[in-house]
Amino acid sequence: MKSMLDKKFILSFFLIFVTGLLFSQTEKENEIENVVIQGVKKYKNKKENPAYAIMREVWKKKKSNGLLLHKDYQYKTYEKIDFRLDNIDSAFTKKRAFKGMDSILFKYNDSSEIAGKAVLPIFITESIFQTYGKNDPKKERKDLVATRLSGLKNNQIVSKTIQNMYQDINIYDNTINYLNIGFVSPVSTDGFGIFDYNITDTIEINTVRSYEIRFTPKNPDALALKGRLYISMDKYNVMKVEMQTNKKININFVKNIATDLEFDNPDDSTFIPIRNETTLQLVMNDKEKAKSVIAKRVANYTEYQFDKGITDDFINKIIVPEDEAVSKDESYWQANRTEILTTSQQNIYKMYEELEDNPKYKKVVKVIEIANSGYIPVVDSGLDLGNIFQSFGYNDIEGVRLRGGFRTYRGKNDMWRIQGYTAYGFRDQKWKFGAEAKYMFNKTNRFQIGTGFREDVLQLGVQLTTDEGIMTRSFASSSVLNSGETTSMSSVKQTNIYTSIEPWKNIQLRLDATQQSIQSADSNLFNINFYKNGVLRSNLNDTRFTATVIARPGAKFSTYGIDRYEMTALATNPTIILKYTKGFEGIFNSDYNYNKLQFYYSQPVILGNWGRLFANVEAGKNFDSLPLALQNVLPANQSYGLVRGVFSLMNYYEFVADSYAVLFLEHHFNGKILSQIPLIKKLKLREVAFFRSGVGSLRQESIDMHAGNIKLTAPEKPYYEYGFGIENIGWGNFRILRIDFNWRGNYLNNSTPTSQVRKFGVQFGFQANF
């Protein structure tokens, strides 16, 4: 691409000085006169730049482009994604890791496509989708019509995750999302603050005469794009875009991102996307000659139809295709492909056909699946052992805690699941256990039922809007490094029965019936004693029914079975939870009647090239006076590990409230600030800023019934803490360490008998992201 761009630039430069080419374009509404084709030139201000007049017309008309002109639309998408490993040499092919597979793998080396370098084909998937949409209000449905995979055929999670690394790009958006990192679009209204624009040529795109405008970042160290825009001279629509990241991008495992977009004009008023080609160059280290994976996605959009009277009922219908229905033979693909396969891509299918029966390859696939799921399959039994990532923990009550478990697993789309675990604490010398069974009757509306039981030691003061499920695991009960005593734990016996359904896409209605018995795990260190009718009690019985509405608009899942895996590579969708809990006194010896209402909202937001903000808001209210075991405890974190959505300098049970509201803000700047500092910018560090606050109130009646060894306090004046973090710490492209520095803003003398106030704290953790 670079050589092609250079040739165009040289040609434009030659025309400027030899012929002094001058052209103008006039429209009824606007007049752009004397636009001179220039090479790369700096202007004193944007109004002197002839490209500014053109871009201003693009901004005026951007809302009249594309599919937005019609009441409804539909189109077909052919998508092809392939991965190739480049720069293969003889030393690489002789590595011990490939022994037993080398005769198959390297038979398909290809050197015809990437500058003569040997390339090893790795993976390819082809898919065809049919998309239906409406514009008032905006709704869209995307049906999978056909799909074909090579390699890892039994691991839809991996293949769907690969697909989710890409997304369709609306060039008219102010921000382009690559791997959850915001880049300013070259068509953004903020573009002249980020890019230098120069008109370099006129060219015909799909029979439309167009301006060629070159854009380059003003700051070569900034996280920005460069490339060329092609703008139609009559309607000022974007006809084509060629863009890529600059050489100094600070994105882990990524050396370069390039995208080519093409648009068509089927009539005088409509411009629609027809092609999107995006290539990621992925590397494990940043050395110049390091091997890289070339991951290319091509999407062609065809068979557009408009204003066919698509109804809301049709758009809202949920379609979950069976694997057999979307698996097509080669004759189908030959008839429906809109882009031919290269020799290298054809070889990927051939290679995996030969690898399917290779013993070494089967072992490699198993290792990948175990690392991905955390479960070890027991051969031909339909059982998996695990989760291996939950097998070890430590707290002051149990001491060293070991946990082992199992689950039934016959396939990615199982309609039922049985799972269980047992754990043992070497200090309290007690066994704990839990088990759950659930069944889904219908994969379309996901109607399901389930039941479970557990008897375990839990840290209850770490979550406000709790999950009613039995198999959930508390980070505080099984953390390893703690900044304070972890003695405020409870012994819980819990039985749960639930049913749920999704009557609308990504909106779940759930009803739980729960009976539980709660007492202190060690009453000498921490107790939750309470008075009921003047009688001192140490054990609380609770029977409750909970109705929950969970909305996840825009969420995507890789499978449709009872346990779905959400694809989060490019997720910016919100989570909204509304929860009502009703306690019933007398049922199974339950101690209290009560009513509780809770609301939860979480939203990741990409703020252009300023990074990504994570915002969480929670609010709730107990309408009745209750003892500590049933109260709202503001969530705390006494471990040295990073946990989002909790207070890092608050102690367990420090604040308790009948009514509460909390706010958590965490902003990742993606190196926006540190990349401007000489020397520091070479470390590729990234900055994080955060703010957390909570406020609440507590009835005197709730305080009076408490008889435990801690004082109940509500944050009637908003509690807050703040700080900053440094992430992306490491070397090369292996940068997974993050360190946070936290300061407590108030309640500096709020010590409890078991824990002292922490005015400052350091936490660390590992996070693998781009």
Side-chain angles (χ1 to χ4, degrees):
M1 178 185 293
K2 185 176 184 300
S3 62
M4 180 181 69
L5 298 179
D6 289 341
K7 288 178 181 177
K8 290 182 179 179
F9 172 73
I10 292 169
L11 175 60
S12 301
F13 188 86
F14 178 78
L15 289 173
I16 293 167
F17 288 94
V18 175
T19 65
L21 181 63
L22 181 70
F23 65 91
S24 63
Q25 173 67 27
T26 303
E27 196 181 30
K28 290 181 181 179
E29 298 178 356
N30 302 284
E31 188 173 355
I32 299 176
E33 298 180 347
N34 300 326
V35 178
V36 180
I37 299 178
Q38 298 283 357
V40 178
K41 179 180 176 181
K42 299 280 186 178
Y43 293 91
K44 292 181 180 180
N45 61 70
K46 61 186 179 183
K47 292 185 178 180
E48 289 184 3
N49 188 343
Y52 177 70
I54 296 172
M55 295 305 300
R56 190 169 53 186
E57 296 302 314
V58 174
W59 301 333
K60 286 180 182 179
K61 299 175 179 298
K62 73 175 185 176
K63 291 188 180 297
S64 65
N65 281 274
L67 309 178
L68 299 177
L69 290 172
H70 301 274
K71 292 182 179 179
D72 60 66
Y73 57 87
Q74 55 185 288
Y75 60 89
K76 179 180 177 182
T77 304
Y78 167 77
E79 179 185 76
K80 175 178 64 176
I81 300 174
D82 76 281
F83 279 38
R84 292 164 288 166
L85 184 65
D86 78 337
N87 202 22
I88 303 299
D89 53 27
S90 59
F92 181 81
T93 63
K94 295 176 181 178
K95 286 184 178 292
R96 188 174 180 180
F98 302 117
K99 189 175 181 180
M101 298 185 293
D102 50 351
S103 62
I104 300 174
L105 287 174
F106 302 114
K107 179 170 66 175
Y108 294 106
N109 280 6
D110 178 48
S111 60
S112 61
E113 294 185 32
I114 304 180
K117 296 180 180 179
V119 176
L120 174 65
I122 300 175
F123 174 91
I124 187 170
T125 177
E126 296 178 272
S127 301
I128 292 177
F129 301 94
Q130 185 69 33
T131 300
Y132 306 90
K134 295 189 67 177
N135 282 318
D136 189 19
K138 181 67 175 178
K139 295 181 179 180
E140 196 167 85
R141 165 180 151 187
K142 188 175 183 179
D143 293 347
L144 177 63
V145 178
T147 189
R148 184 184 188 188
L149 305 170
S150 69
L152 301 174
K153 292 185 178 179
N154 294 320
N155 198 334
Q156 289 282 348
I157 300 167
V158 173
S159 63
K160 291 291 185 182
T161 300
I162 289 172
Q163 289 177 316
N164 197 45
M165 290 172 62
Y166 303 88
Q167 69 173 18
D168 290 332
I169 293 173
N170 183 352
I171 196 64
Y172 293 104
D173 288 341
N174 283 334
T175 301
I176 295 173
N177 181 358
Y178 283 125
L179 307 173
N180 275 336
I181 297 174
F183 288 80
V184 175
S185 169
V187 185
S188 167
T189 52
D190 299 324
F192 274 83
I194 305 297
F195 306 105
D196 288 320
Y197 294 87
N198 284 273
I199 303 174
T200 54
D201 202 353
T202 61
I203 191 172
E204 211 170 76
I205 304 292
N206 293 324
T207 72
V208 177
R209 197 67 180 166
S210 304
Y211 299 110
E212 180 187 79
I213 300 178
R214 179 178 178 180
F215 58 93
T216 55
K218 293 178 180 292
N219 179 1
D221 294 318
L223 202 63
L225 300 166
K226 63 180 180 179
R228 281 177 165 80
L229 286 169
Y230 299 88
I231 309 297
S232 65
M233 297 172 65
D234 53 352
K235 298 294 184 181
Y236 298 101
N237 291 91
V238 179
M239 297 298 300
K240 185 178 179 181
V241 184
E242 297 170 350
M243 58 187 178
Q244 61 181 312
T245 52
N246 57 3
K247 291 183 178 180
K248 297 183 180 181
I249 59 170
N250 182 7
I251 305 179
N252 291 331
F253 312 111
V254 178
K255 188 174 183 179
N256 184 54
I257 304 174
T259 294
D260 289 356
L261 305 173
E262 292 184 32
F263 303 85
D264 195 10
N265 55 330
D267 54 56
D268 290 339
S269 60
T270 303
F271 286 75
I272 55 177
I274 58 174
R275 180 179 169 84
N276 180 339
E277 178 179 320
T278 296
T279 302
L280 306 178
Q281 187 175 6
L282 309 173
V283 293
M284 288 304 296
N285 63 67
D286 53 5
K287 294 180 180 179
E288 187 64 30
K289 295 184 179 181
K291 293 174 177 59
S292 61
V293 173
I294 308 299
K296 178 190 284 189
R297 182 230 188 197
V298 174
N300 294 329
Y301 312 98
T302 58
E303 300 181 16
Y304 280 93
Q305 298 183 58
F306 302 102
D307 301 324
K308 295 296 183 180
I310 296 176
T311 64
D312 287 339
D313 288 342
F314 180 83
I315 284 286
N316 294 331
K317 189 176 181 180
I318 301 172
I319 302 294
V320 182
E322 296 287 351
D323 287 355
E324 296 78 11
V326 296
S327 179
K328 306 293 185 180
D329 58 21
E330 178 58 27
S331 61
Y332 173 89
W333 289 104
Q334 290 181 1
N336 288 274
R337 278 190 192 105
T338 55
E339 184 151 328
I340 64 171
L341 295 183
T342 65
T343 301
S344 176
Q345 292 165 345
Q346 293 172 8
N347 286 339
I348 299 177
Y349 287 121
K350 295 178 183 178
M351 181 179 71
Y352 280 106
E353 287 177 2
E354 296 184 37
L355 281 173
E356 280 183 353
D357 297 323
N358 183 278
K360 179 70 175 289
Y361 173 73
K362 290 180 179 180
K363 291 179 181 179
V364 171
V365 171
K366 286 297 181 186
V367 170
I368 294 173
E369 290 177 345
I370 291 170
N372 183 57
S373 69
Y375 284 90
I376 302 172
V378 179
V379 180
D380 298 328
S381 66
L383 288 177
D384 290 350
L385 302 180
N387 187 321
I388 59 176
F389 303 122
Q390 301 176 4
S391 58
F392 180 84
Y394 177 86
N395 59 73
D396 289 334
I397 298 296
E398 298 175 282
V400 174
R401 172 186 169 100
L402 299 181
R403 169 172 162 159
F406 75 94
R407 70 174 183 179
T408 60
Y409 188 85
R410 297 182 178 277
K412 60 187 180 296
N413 292 319
D414 285 347
M415 300 291 280
W416 61 277
R417 180 86 69 236
I418 298 174
Q419 53 191 332
Y421 74 91
T422 184
Y424 183 77
F426 285 85
R427 178 171 295 174
D428 65 357
Q429 298 183 349
K430 292 181 180 179
W431 287 95
K432 295 87 180 175
F433 56 89
E436 185 179 60
K438 49 190 176 181
Y439 181 80
M440 187 166 67
F441 295 91
N442 187 303
K443 67 178 183 291
T444 302
N445 60 23
R446 299 191 60 77
F447 173 53
Q448 57 185 279
I449 60 172
T451 183
F453 174 82
R454 69 176 164 185
E455 183 175 339
D456 206 343
V457 172
L458 303 174
Q459 179 66 63
L460 298 180
V462 294
Q463 193 176 16
L464 285 167
T465 310
T466 57
D467 187 335
E468 300 293 322
I470 292 296
M471 296 299 292
T472 55
R473 169 177 171 260
S474 168
F475 73 88
S477 305
S478 54
S479 60
V480 178
L481 297 175
N482 298 290
S483 59
E485 295 180 348
T486 53
T487 57
S488 56
M489 303 185 72
S490 300
S491 179
V492 180
K493 295 180 181 178
Q494 186 180 61
T495 302
N496 171 266
I497 300 173
Y498 83 90
T499 183
S500 72
I501 191 170
E502 286 192 8
W504 305 280
K505 185 177 181 180
N506 290 334
I507 297 180
Q508 178 186 8
L509 307 180
R510 175 168 172 146
L511 182 63
D512 287 84
T514 303
Q515 193 283 324
Q516 60 182 348
S517 175
I518 306 173
Q519 63 182 8
S520 300
D522 188 334
S523 58
N524 295 320
L525 300 174
F526 165 78
N527 70 61
I528 54 174
N529 294 350
F530 63 99
Y531 290 104
K532 186 176 189 317
N533 299 326
V535 178
L536 181 65
R537 298 276 303 278
S538 61
N539 183 77
L540 183 140
N541 294 315
D542 174 43
T543 300
R544 68 189 186 209
F545 288 88
T546 304
T548 308
V549 180
I550 304 173
R552 302 293 313 284
K556 297 179 181 180
F557 301 89
S558 61
T559 54
Y560 61 74
I562 186 73
D563 289 324
R564 292 188 296 183
Y565 296 87
E566 184 177 358
M567 299 186 294
T568 59
L570 294 178
T572 55
N573 50 283
T575 298
I576 305 167
I577 301 174
L578 183 62
K579 184 175 182 180
Y580 170 71
T581 303
K582 171 66 177 176
F584 291 91
E585 185 177 3
I587 299 179
F588 297 111
N589 299 318
S590 179
D591 292 314
Y592 289 95
N593 276 315
Y594 63 91
N595 298 272
K596 178 188 288 190
L597 187 64
Q598 294 174 288
F599 171 79
Y600 172 92
Y601 180 87
S602 175
Q603 174 77 70
V605 182
I606 295 178
L607 299 176
N609 64 345
W610 279 97
R612 194 179 190 206
L613 173 70
F614 291 89
N616 288 38
V617 177
E618 291 188 66
K621 181 178 180 63
N622 283 336
F623 292 88
D624 308 273
S625 300
L626 291 171
L628 178 59
L630 296 177
Q631 278 292 354
N632 303 304
V633 182
L634 268 65
N637 178 15
Q638 289 186 202
S639 76
Y640 285 108
L642 298 173
V643 181
R644 185 177 291 143
V646 298
F647 293 97
S648 294
L649 295 178
M650 189 182 290
N651 295 318
Y652 299 136
Y653 289 98
E654 183 175 348
F655 292 110
V656 179
D658 289 308
S659 302
Y660 67 88
V662 296
L663 170 68
F664 299 96
L665 300 174
E666 180 176 297
H667 187 72
H668 297 249
F669 288 89
N670 291 333
K672 177 73 173 180
I673 300 171
L674 295 179
S675 66
Q676 309 298 318
I677 304 174
L679 299 180
I680 296 293
K681 65 184 181 182
K682 293 184 177 182
L683 299 176
K684 296 186 176 181
L685 301 176
R686 301 175 187 169
E687 59 280 356
V688 182
F690 42 81
F691 177 81
R692 314 177 187 106
S693 183
V695 65
S697 62
L698 188 64
R699 296 183 184 88
Q700 187 61 46
E701 294 87 344
S702 296
I703 297 174
D704 292 342
M705 68 175 62
H706 177 64
N709 63 346
I710 64 171
K711 181 182 178 181
L712 300 190
T713 303
E716 295 184 356
K717 175 184 177 182
Y719 168 90
Y720 71 96
E721 58 186 46
Y722 58 90
F724 71 91
I726 302 296
E727 62 182 354
N728 213 43
I729 301 172
W731 60 91
N733 271 330
F734 194 72
R735 299 175 173 272
I736 63 173
L737 178 63
R738 170 178 162 183
I739 299 177
D740 281 3
F741 304 91
N742 303 270
W743 284 267
R744 182 166 173 147
N746 55 0
Y747 292 96
L748 302 180
N749 299 310
N750 206 43
S751 298
T752 66
T754 58
S755 300
Q756 297 297 313
V757 164
R758 293 170 292 151
K759 299 178 182 180
F760 172 77
V762 177
Q763 293 174 319
F764 64 91
F766 301 98
Q767 53 183 30
N769 54 35
F770 291 102

